[in-house]
């Protein structure tokens, strides 16, 4: 079982304030999704030492459809609780995928370290879906929604389609 991770935040560095975290289990060489998924909205109060950048706030102001979900006040949990819950799912996975090599996983790693929690993945288990998509330049990609769980699922579909197109039958 592999896991796609996506998050939305209020900056671009590893210490960004996290708005939402999502993860969806899947088989990269298969079709569809597994039942296991995770989604959490994170309280801003639980992240007093994490960064907020004005440029990112300005960008969010242009994302009218995504704002309601990312900034909804209800059902938010503290970051340390979300990290524990997400970690239990990550430990069960062979590989952890994200869109790009430096955003989601760096932010999560920084968050785990800031709470003195063990990183729940091996460094060699992290994979980048964007690099795989680049192997098929004519791949049609629907727009990103900036709803973390929807984006996980979109990225999984694109990854599975690309691997099939490239005739990949095995991953290390």
């Amino acid at each position: 079982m592999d896991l796609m991770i996506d998050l939305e935040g209020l900056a671009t560095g590893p210490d960004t304030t996290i708005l939402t975290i999502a993860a969806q289990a899947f088989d990269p060489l298969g079709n569809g999704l597994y039942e296991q998924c995770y989604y959490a909205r994170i309280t801003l109060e639980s992240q007093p030492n994490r960064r907020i950048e004005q440029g990112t706030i300005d960008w969010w102001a242009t994302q009218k459809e995504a704002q309601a979900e990312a900034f909804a006040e209800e059902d938010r949990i503290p970051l340390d609780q979300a990290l524990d819950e997400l970690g239990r799912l990550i430990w069960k996975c062979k590989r952890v995928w994200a869109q790009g090599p430096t955003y989601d996983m760096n932010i999560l790693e920084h968050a785990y370290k800031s709470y003195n929690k063990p990183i729940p993945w091996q460094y060699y288990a992290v994979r980048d879906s964007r690099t795989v998509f680049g192997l098929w330049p004519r791949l049609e990609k629907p727009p990103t929604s900036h709803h973390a769980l929807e984006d996980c699922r979109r990225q999984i579909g694109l990854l599975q389609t690309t691997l099939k197109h490239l005739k990949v039958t095995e991953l290390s």
Side-chain angles (χ1 to χ4, degrees):
M1 174 172 78
D2 285 22
L3 197 65
M4 182 69 73
I5 293 180
D6 191 69
L7 59 82
E8 299 299 333
L10 293 175
T12 57
D15 60 345
T16 187
T17 298
I18 299 169
L19 290 170
T20 60
I21 300 173
Q24 175 67 59
F26 71 107
D27 174 359
L29 301 176
N31 294 308
L33 310 168
Y34 292 142
E35 188 175 300
Q36 300 93 334
C37 69
Y38 181 77
Y39 182 73
R41 290 187 199 106
I42 312 304
T43 61
L44 301 184
E45 301 79 34
S46 68
Q47 306 175 71
N49 298 321
R50 300 188 70 78
R51 180 182 292 272
I52 296 174
E53 295 173 351
Q54 186 60 48
T56 305
I57 297 294
D58 295 344
W59 176 85
W60 271 109
T62 69
Q63 305 300 309
K64 298 300 182 196
E65 289 185 33
Q67 280 179 20
E69 175 58 32
F71 290 91
E73 289 297 319
E74 65 273 356
D75 301 325
R76 290 196 175 272
I77 62 173
L79 179 57
D80 64 330
Q81 177 184 340
L83 295 173
D84 289 342
E85 293 170 356
L86 178 64
R88 286 192 286 278
L89 182 57
I90 293 173
W91 281 118
K92 299 175 186 175
C93 295
K94 183 174 183 178
R95 288 173 291 263
V96 180
W97 296 80
Q99 179 86 348
T102 61
Y103 187 73
D104 306 274
M105 300 311 291
N106 283 350
I107 292 168
L108 284 174
E109 182 173 337
H110 185 279
Y112 277 102
K113 287 179 178 178
S114 72
Y115 282 98
N116 294 314
K117 295 179 183 291
I119 307 299
W121 62 84
Q122 299 296 324
Y123 70 91
Y124 53 80
V126 176
R127 301 291 187 272
D128 172 25
S129 59
R130 185 176 290 134
T131 298
V132 176
F133 303 157
L135 299 173
W136 185 12
R138 289 189 278 286
L139 173 65
E140 291 188 32
K141 297 183 270 298
T144 302
S145 72
H146 299 293
H147 178 298
L149 189 55
E150 287 177 8
D151 288 344
C152 279
R153 292 173 175 164
R154 173 188 157 277
Q155 291 157 201
I156 288 167
L158 291 169
L159 179 64
Q160 290 170 329
T161 298
T162 302
L163 293 174
K164 280 180 185 47
H165 174 79
L166 298 173
K167 298 179 177 25
V168 174
T169 59
E170 186 176 351
L171 296 171
S172 61

